[in-house]
Amino acid sequence: MAVAVSLPLGVGSQAKAACPPLPYTFTNGQTADAGQVIGDLNAIQVCIGNNGSVNSGTAGQVGAYSATGNAISGTSLSSVLDSSIGSTQGSVLFRNATGWVALAPGTLGQALVSGGPGSNPSWGSGGLPIPFYAALTRPSASAFTLVHATSTTATLGDMPSGRGMTMNVTGAGSNSNSSMEQPVLSQTAFTVTTTVFLASSLDGNWWVGLAAKDSTGKYDAFGVQHSGGPGTFTEFTFNSINLLNTTTELYGVFNPNGPVWLRLQLTGGNFIFSVSFDGENWETASTISATHFLGSTLSTVGVIVDDNSSHHLIVDDLSWSQTTP
């Protein structure tokens, strides 16, 4: 079998330049054997295979090398940026003097600051204030047991936003106590820290604090009390969740419209109760023997709420930690 064939291979193509010469050379009008033609076609196929292949992709993808080699496959633009620039969450893509690069994540509270034309952006101070709950250790309702007095009802649940949990207490006029508790980690030394925020009406008589309970069911609690005016720091003792024993005003006033950080430490046989309004600067409100009211064996520690009003008291607990030295 003889065929007449013309192969206008072109000049200077990248594929041709990277391939060896074809085994057979033909000119227009030349009669060539079919075997020669097939030989040239096979050589061209081998050349294309050696210089790369393009696999199928889907709409919206881009062609990229998924590994070192000569095969191009369809992939997402996000995957291309991950592999070529970086995949660290929080990174920012920007153009420096030579190409596109990633700016590594800054620290909590920093803002992206422009360097102006011809300069690179950087992380610095400024921007909008960070919500106070952003860096807190957020609690989960499943870590606590809810206890409440027989004269009231209460619920405890996680906030849908994931910022923490909420205790919703129905007031009954007196002894409307509810407590979210967990076992103490130590009988000799622990530190419990929490951040509470009133998410309901601030009127009426209510109290929120940290409480330790002994094995007989008595509570020694320290916190903030509101009784129609500016709040005070107060110690409450309860013979049981149903029965108030004493109320001792400690000192000072607090702003019930903002978050309050409360800390209760057991150390050296004493309870040390401290308060803060920013989570960093603490002031000691009370130091008292841990057994001045409670027995020697502690059972639980937690947040206790007393709602002596006729409305619901909603308390957001936005942070919680219990540690031992």
Side-chain angles (χ1 to χ4, degrees):
M1 174 183 179
V3 294
V5 63
S6 172
L7 294 176
L9 295 176
V11 221
S13 77
Q14 187 175 5
K16 178 182 176 184
C19 294
L22 295 177
Y24 304 102
T25 302
F26 303 110
T27 60
N28 288 336
Q30 176 184 344
T31 301
D33 184 86
Q36 295 174 313
V37 175
I38 296 300
D40 277 358
L41 292 176
N42 287 338
I44 293 171
Q45 183 180 18
V46 170
C47 177
I48 293 173
N50 289 338
N51 281 274
S53 61
V54 178
N55 299 318
S56 61
T58 59
Q61 290 185 321
V62 295
Y65 292 103
S66 58
T68 301
N70 57 9
I72 296 176
S73 301
T75 188
S76 67
L77 183 57
S78 177
S79 296
V80 173
L81 293 174
D82 283 348
S83 60
S84 61
I85 296 178
S87 58
T88 302
Q89 183 176 0
S91 298
V92 176
L93 183 65
F94 75 96
R95 181 64 159 80
N96 67 12
T98 57
W100 289 95
V101 296
L103 175 64
T107 59
L108 181 68
Q110 286 186 315
L112 189 62
V113 179
S114 172
S119 298
N120 297 331
S122 61
W123 297 110
S125 59
L128 296 175
I130 301 299
F132 68 87
Y133 50 77
L136 302 179
T137 303
R138 298 165 187 173
S140 172
S142 62
F144 296 86
T145 298
L146 179 64
V147 180
H148 58 81
T150 55
S151 61
T152 189
T153 58
T155 58
L156 180 67
D158 295 325
M159 300 173 68
S161 63
R163 289 184 294 153
M165 58 187 183
T166 294
M167 185 190 297
N168 191 327
V169 181
T170 301
S174 64
N175 291 334
S176 302
N177 306 319
S178 301
S179 178
M180 45 178 261
E181 307 172 9
Q182 63 179 217
V184 294
L185 295 180
S186 169
Q187 292 291 323
T188 57
F190 62 74
T191 298
V192 174
T193 307
T194 192
T195 306
V196 293
F197 183 83
L198 272 293
S200 59
S201 172
L202 299 175
D203 290 335
N205 184 4
W206 50 264
W207 182 88
V208 179
L210 283 170
K213 182 173 73 173
D214 69 12
S215 58
T216 69
K218 295 193 297 183
Y219 293 81
D220 196 359
F222 306 84
V224 291
Q225 180 187 19
H226 181 272
S227 55
T232 58
F233 302 113
T234 309
E235 178 190 10
F236 281 75
T237 60
F238 299 88
N239 290 315
S240 70
I241 195 67
N242 287 291
L243 184 59
L244 172 67
N245 181 56
T246 62
T247 302
T248 304
E249 184 174 316
L250 300 175
Y251 82 101
V253 297
F254 76 100
N255 176 14
N257 296 283
V260 181
W261 281 257
L262 307 175
R263 185 171 68 194
L264 183 62
Q265 297 170 285
L266 172 62
T267 179
N270 292 324
F271 283 137
I272 302 175
F273 171 58
S274 306
V275 294
S276 174
F277 297 101
D278 59 9
E280 295 184 19
N281 298 290
W282 292 88
E283 185 171 3
T284 300
S286 176
T287 300
I288 195 167
S289 170
T291 56
H292 83 106
F293 177 69
L294 300 182
S296 58
T297 303
L298 299 179
S299 173
T300 63
V301 67
V303 174
I304 191 167
V305 175
D306 184 13
D307 181 11
N308 290 321
S309 64
S310 58
H311 58 76
H312 285 214
L313 184 64
I314 302 174
V315 180
D316 288 344
D317 192 290
L318 303 174
S319 74
W320 171 270
S321 67
Q322 181 184 180
T323 60
T324 58

